[in-house]
Amino acid sequence: MKTWIAVGIPIPKSIPRKRSEALFNTQDHAIFNMHLSTHTWMRPEPLELTIKRASSLGYTSIELAGEPSRYTVDETQALLKKYNMACWSVVTIMYGTRDLSAADRAHREDTIGYMKSLVDLAAGLEAKVVTVVPCTVGKLQPNASSHEEWEWVVQGVREVALYAQEKGIRIAIEPLNRFETYLITNTTQALQLIEEANVSNLGIAFDPFHLNIEEPDLIAAIRKCGDKLFDFHLGDNNRLAPGDGSLDWPLIIQTLREVGYKGGLAFEAMPPIDRTSSGDFGAKQLEPEPWDVDEGTLQFLKDHASGVLREDFYAGMLARTAEVILPLIK
């Protein structure tokens, strides 16, 4: 049985927002403009705490971690309504045997089933997008031939996209950097996958942390996505909060406007942990161990060189993101 951690460190002072500036219509969640969103996977805790904190800081939606057994539609909708939030997207959490490129056919079929369950969850929550990482995070070499694994991914993505199309959900393929995957590491590869899968509701989830590593020109890569840009994540070049690295956020937001992007800007900072004496061996950023978190979630965090972040540290990154991004999108 999994247990979430909740600690009683105060949330930073709220950033006021006008309800008229909310980007989802209360009746149909129609998208009016770019808006501030947040992923929910980076700190395991009760979902209400995540939503309450984000709402208090000026966020208007979430990008829900793809664990269908963890969330019911009715309970999640009630929480979102309580804090005047919406679900913008649901994102795959790719660990264990979740892998569209797996050599084991049963694992591929299970992964397709898992992704379809996220489509169902997204539809139930009136979300717009399911963001898909095709392979297990940390898989850096093919286990079968590269040709076979590519074809399996194309087939799997096509099947999931066709299922999502029936439910009015878009599928956004997220390229990761070369240190987290060997397959789909840039926008050219993602667009090739979209072309070969050949389903109209396929697009790209653009994460500038990953793509500032892989793309020779980050701004040109955004423009290259054009109307296939379906989701956008927020993390600086060092995966700290926007503004705490070297990326040019005013130019990024300007470029998103140029290509007509009107969706969530989803906070997804995952900072490097300072485990030296200057960082008090991780204690300035991490909750004390042992961590009472289920094995799969903990492994996923460790695969990102992280752990269970302190609430004050995590909330500070959310606040910093809002401080930098909100003035640019109002």
mmCIF file of all heavy atoms in Angstrom, residues 224-246:
data_model
loop_
_atom_site.group_PDB
_atom_site.id
_atom_site.type_symbol
_atom_site.label_atom_id
_atom_site.label_comp_id
_atom_site.label_asym_id
_atom_site.label_seq_id
_atom_site.Cartn_x
_atom_site.Cartn_y
_atom_site.Cartn_z
ATOM 1 N N LYS A 224 10.004 25.288 -35.529
ATOM 2 C CA LYS A 224 9.878 24.103 -36.381
ATOM 3 C C LYS A 224 8.649 23.276 -36.001
ATOM 4 O O LYS A 224 7.998 22.677 -36.861
ATOM 5 C CB LYS A 224 11.140 23.250 -36.258
ATOM 6 C CG LYS A 224 11.184 22.036 -37.177
ATOM 7 C CD LYS A 224 12.527 21.338 -37.065
ATOM 8 C CE LYS A 224 12.617 20.176 -38.035
ATOM 9 N NZ LYS A 224 13.959 19.538 -37.998
ATOM 10 N N CYS A 225 8.320 23.247 -34.723
ATOM 11 C CA CYS A 225 7.135 22.499 -34.278
ATOM 12 C C CYS A 225 5.854 23.109 -34.812
ATOM 13 O O CYS A 225 4.908 22.389 -35.140
ATOM 14 C CB CYS A 225 7.084 22.467 -32.750
ATOM 15 S SG CYS A 225 8.411 21.536 -31.970
ATOM 16 N N GLY A 226 5.805 24.427 -34.889
ATOM 17 C CA GLY A 226 4.638 25.111 -35.440
ATOM 18 C C GLY A 226 3.350 24.689 -34.765
ATOM 19 O O GLY A 226 3.243 24.650 -33.534
ATOM 20 N N ASP A 227 2.347 24.336 -35.590
ATOM 21 C CA ASP A 227 1.045 23.982 -35.022
ATOM 22 C C ASP A 227 1.012 22.563 -34.464
ATOM 23 O O ASP A 227 -0.032 22.103 -33.990
ATOM 24 C CB ASP A 227 -0.069 24.181 -36.046
ATOM 25 C CG ASP A 227 0.076 23.305 -37.285
ATOM 26 O OD1 ASP A 227 1.013 22.476 -37.335
ATOM 27 O OD2 ASP A 227 -0.747 23.445 -38.212
ATOM 28 N N LYS A 228 2.139 21.877 -34.502
ATOM 29 C CA LYS A 228 2.243 20.565 -33.858
ATOM 30 C C LYS A 228 2.753 20.671 -32.416
ATOM 31 O O LYS A 228 3.001 19.649 -31.778
ATOM 32 C CB LYS A 228 3.156 19.636 -34.672
ATOM 33 C CG LYS A 228 2.487 19.081 -35.919
ATOM 34 C CD LYS A 228 1.300 18.190 -35.552
ATOM 35 C CE LYS A 228 0.647 17.551 -36.738
ATOM 36 N NZ LYS A 228 -0.517 16.705 -36.354
ATOM 37 N N LEU A 229 2.896 21.880 -31.924
ATOM 38 C CA LEU A 229 3.283 22.077 -30.534
ATOM 39 C C LEU A 229 2.037 21.964 -29.662
ATOM 40 O O LEU A 229 1.175 22.833 -29.673
ATOM 41 C CB LEU A 229 3.944 23.444 -30.359
ATOM 42 C CG LEU A 229 4.514 23.765 -28.983
ATOM 43 C CD1 LEU A 229 5.527 22.720 -28.550
ATOM 44 C CD2 LEU A 229 5.152 25.145 -28.984
ATOM 45 N N PHE A 230 1.931 20.865 -28.901
ATOM 46 C CA PHE A 230 0.720 20.562 -28.135
ATOM 47 C C PHE A 230 0.887 20.765 -26.634
ATOM 48 O O PHE A 230 -0.112 20.824 -25.914
ATOM 49 C CB PHE A 230 0.305 19.103 -28.371
ATOM 50 C CG PHE A 230 -0.326 18.830 -29.704
ATOM 51 C CD1 PHE A 230 -0.490 19.817 -30.664
ATOM 52 C CD2 PHE A 230 -0.770 17.549 -30.010
ATOM 53 C CE1 PHE A 230 -1.070 19.552 -31.901
ATOM 54 C CE2 PHE A 230 -1.365 17.260 -31.233
ATOM 55 C CZ PHE A 230 -1.513 18.262 -32.183
ATOM 56 N N ASP A 231 2.118 20.831 -26.143
ATOM 57 C CA ASP A 231 2.353 20.967 -24.709
ATOM 58 C C ASP A 231 3.731 21.574 -24.526
ATOM 59 O O ASP A 231 4.626 21.385 -25.368
ATOM 60 C CB ASP A 231 2.263 19.593 -24.020
ATOM 61 C CG ASP A 231 2.262 19.670 -22.499
ATOM 62 O OD1 ASP A 231 1.940 20.747 -21.953
ATOM 63 O OD2 ASP A 231 2.579 18.652 -21.844
ATOM 64 N N PHE A 232 3.911 22.310 -23.415
ATOM 65 C CA PHE A 232 5.201 22.971 -23.185
ATOM 66 C C PHE A 232 5.532 22.903 -21.700
ATOM 67 O O PHE A 232 4.695 23.210 -20.855
ATOM 68 C CB PHE A 232 5.160 24.434 -23.636
ATOM 69 C CG PHE A 232 6.525 25.048 -23.795
ATOM 70 C CD1 PHE A 232 7.188 24.966 -25.003
ATOM 71 C CD2 PHE A 232 7.126 25.711 -22.739
ATOM 72 C CE1 PHE A 232 8.461 25.524 -25.157
ATOM 73 C CE2 PHE A 232 8.386 26.267 -22.875
ATOM 74 C CZ PHE A 232 9.062 26.183 -24.090
ATOM 75 N N HIS A 233 6.758 22.467 -21.391
ATOM 76 C CA HIS A 233 7.183 22.302 -20.010
ATOM 77 C C HIS A 233 8.139 23.415 -19.597
ATOM 78 O O HIS A 233 8.811 24.007 -20.438
ATOM 79 C CB HIS A 233 7.846 20.938 -19.823
ATOM 80 C CG HIS A 233 6.921 19.795 -20.083
ATOM 81 N ND1 HIS A 233 7.350 18.487 -20.207
ATOM 82 C CD2 HIS A 233 5.569 19.758 -20.217
ATOM 83 C CE1 HIS A 233 6.301 17.704 -20.421
ATOM 84 N NE2 HIS A 233 5.220 18.457 -20.444
ATOM 85 N N LEU A 234 8.198 23.674 -18.298
ATOM 86 C CA LEU A 234 9.012 24.766 -17.771
ATOM 87 C C LEU A 234 10.117 24.237 -16.871
ATOM 88 O O LEU A 234 9.861 23.697 -15.795
ATOM 89 C CB LEU A 234 8.134 25.744 -16.969
ATOM 90 C CG LEU A 234 7.037 26.475 -17.739
ATOM 91 C CD1 LEU A 234 6.215 27.335 -16.777
ATOM 92 C CD2 LEU A 234 7.621 27.335 -18.857
ATOM 93 N N GLY A 235 11.323 24.379 -17.323
ATOM 94 C CA GLY A 235 12.519 24.085 -16.549
ATOM 95 C C GLY A 235 13.673 24.777 -17.252
ATOM 96 O O GLY A 235 13.732 24.789 -18.493
ATOM 97 N N ASP A 236 14.572 25.388 -16.506
ATOM 98 C CA ASP A 236 15.674 26.118 -17.133
ATOM 99 C C ASP A 236 16.745 25.153 -17.646
ATOM 100 O O ASP A 236 16.579 23.930 -17.559
ATOM 101 C CB ASP A 236 16.258 27.140 -16.153
ATOM 102 C CG ASP A 236 16.563 28.461 -16.840
ATOM 103 O OD1 ASP A 236 17.320 28.457 -17.843
ATOM 104 O OD2 ASP A 236 16.060 29.512 -16.390
ATOM 105 N N ASN A 237 17.827 25.685 -18.198
ATOM 106 C CA ASN A 237 18.845 24.834 -18.813
ATOM 107 C C ASN A 237 19.447 23.842 -17.818
ATOM 108 O O ASN A 237 19.904 22.762 -18.193
ATOM 109 C CB ASN A 237 19.955 25.688 -19.415
ATOM 110 C CG ASN A 237 20.797 26.374 -18.356
ATOM 111 O OD1 ASN A 237 20.288 27.220 -17.612
ATOM 112 N ND2 ASN A 237 22.073 26.036 -18.266
ATOM 113 N N ASN A 238 19.424 24.192 -16.519
ATOM 114 C CA ASN A 238 19.962 23.341 -15.464
ATOM 115 C C ASN A 238 18.859 22.589 -14.721
ATOM 116 O O ASN A 238 19.117 21.969 -13.698
ATOM 117 C CB ASN A 238 20.765 24.181 -14.474
ATOM 118 C CG ASN A 238 20.001 25.431 -14.026
ATOM 119 O OD1 ASN A 238 18.798 25.551 -14.281
ATOM 120 N ND2 ASN A 238 20.680 26.351 -13.374
ATOM 121 N N ARG A 239 17.677 22.637 -15.223
ATOM 122 C CA ARG A 239 16.452 22.053 -14.680
ATOM 123 C C ARG A 239 16.043 22.650 -13.334
ATOM 124 O O ARG A 239 15.278 22.059 -12.582
ATOM 125 C CB ARG A 239 16.494 20.530 -14.604
ATOM 126 C CG ARG A 239 15.103 19.935 -14.852
ATOM 127 C CD ARG A 239 15.089 18.461 -15.117
ATOM 128 N NE ARG A 239 13.775 18.094 -15.653
ATOM 129 C CZ ARG A 239 13.421 16.849 -15.991
ATOM 130 N NH1 ARG A 239 14.266 15.853 -15.838
ATOM 131 N NH2 ARG A 239 12.229 16.608 -16.473
ATOM 132 N N LEU A 240 16.546 23.847 -13.053
ATOM 133 C CA LEU A 240 16.012 24.635 -11.959
ATOM 134 C C LEU A 240 14.787 25.400 -12.470
ATOM 135 O O LEU A 240 14.379 25.259 -13.633
ATOM 136 C CB LEU A 240 17.072 25.586 -11.421
ATOM 137 C CG LEU A 240 18.283 24.931 -10.745
ATOM 138 C CD1 LEU A 240 19.297 25.998 -10.327
ATOM 139 C CD2 LEU A 240 17.860 24.102 -9.546
ATOM 140 N N ALA A 241 14.191 26.207 -11.623
ATOM 141 C CA ALA A 241 13.037 27.003 -12.024
ATOM 142 C C ALA A 241 13.430 28.006 -13.107
ATOM 143 O O ALA A 241 14.588 28.459 -13.153
ATOM 144 C CB ALA A 241 12.467 27.741 -10.816
ATOM 145 N N PRO A 242 12.507 28.357 -13.990
ATOM 146 C CA PRO A 242 12.788 29.424 -14.951
ATOM 147 C C PRO A 242 13.298 30.677 -14.236
ATOM 148 O O PRO A 242 12.761 31.078 -13.203
ATOM 149 C CB PRO A 242 11.422 29.667 -15.599
ATOM 150 C CG PRO A 242 10.737 28.346 -15.514
ATOM 151 C CD PRO A 242 11.161 27.777 -14.191
ATOM 152 N N GLY A 243 14.338 31.262 -14.805
ATOM 153 C CA GLY A 243 14.948 32.430 -14.189
ATOM 154 C C GLY A 243 16.171 32.107 -13.365
ATOM 155 O O GLY A 243 16.945 33.009 -13.018
ATOM 156 N N ASP A 244 16.363 30.828 -13.039
ATOM 157 C CA ASP A 244 17.527 30.424 -12.248
ATOM 158 C C ASP A 244 18.563 29.701 -13.107
ATOM 159 O O ASP A 244 19.412 28.969 -12.588
ATOM 160 C CB ASP A 244 17.093 29.528 -11.085
ATOM 161 C CG ASP A 244 16.352 30.319 -10.021
ATOM 162 O OD1 ASP A 244 16.498 31.555 -9.988
ATOM 163 O OD2 ASP A 244 15.612 29.701 -9.224
ATOM 164 N N GLY A 245 18.471 29.904 -14.404
ATOM 165 C CA GLY A 245 19.436 29.349 -15.349
ATOM 166 C C GLY A 245 19.732 30.379 -16.416
ATOM 167 O O GLY A 245 19.620 31.584 -16.184
ATOM 168 N N SER A 246 20.058 29.914 -17.610
ATOM 169 C CA SER A 246 20.521 30.827 -18.659
ATOM 170 C C SER A 246 19.558 30.975 -19.832
ATOM 171 O O SER A 246 19.853 31.706 -20.781
ATOM 172 C CB SER A 246 21.879 30.342 -19.197
ATOM 173 O OG SER A 246 21.755 29.051 -19.790
#
